[in-house]
Amino acid sequence: RGIVKLRVSYPPRFADSAADLAGKLGEKLGKRVEMAEKPSDGLIGGFRVYMEDTMIDASVETQLKLLKERLVN
């Protein structure tokens, strides 16, 4: 049908950016995006996108964990 359903978690102070994210994802996927937004106090920055059985974790917390792992190894 050309529709992708997403759940997006983001820090409450970045609510304006969530709509931009949906638009950009729709352009990349070539489909219309239906987004369920969920502000999360647990995120300090970035976002998490859940699409079917896939999660894109672009949160600051995860990025810092990955950086730590690279530096330790």
Side-chain angles (χ1 to χ4, degrees), residues 19-33:
D20 292 338
L21 175 65
K24 289 179 182 178
L25 284 172
E27 288 174 17
K28 291 282 185 187
L29 296 171
K31 298 182 180 186
R32 193 180 89 191
V33 172

Side-chain angles (χ1 to χ4, degrees), residues 4-70:
V4 176
K5 294 184 180 185
L6 305 174
R7 276 187 309 125
V8 180
S9 296
Y10 55 86
R13 66 178 180 270
F14 296 122
D16 296 340
S17 301
D20 292 338
L21 175 65
K24 289 179 182 178
L25 284 172
E27 288 174 17
K28 291 282 185 187
L29 296 171
K31 298 182 180 186
R32 193 180 89 191
V33 172
E34 290 182 0
M35 186 171 70
E37 300 177 38
K38 182 182 176 192
S40 175
D41 292 328
L43 291 174
I44 58 172
F47 58 88
R48 289 187 181 116
V49 177
Y50 304 88
M51 179 175 63
E52 297 176 3
D53 60 347
T54 303
M55 179 182 76
I56 300 168
D57 189 346
S59 66
V60 171
E61 177 185 9
T62 298
Q63 299 302 315
L64 290 173
K65 284 180 184 177
L66 291 172
L67 178 61
K68 179 183 175 183
E69 287 175 15
R70 279 187 246 144

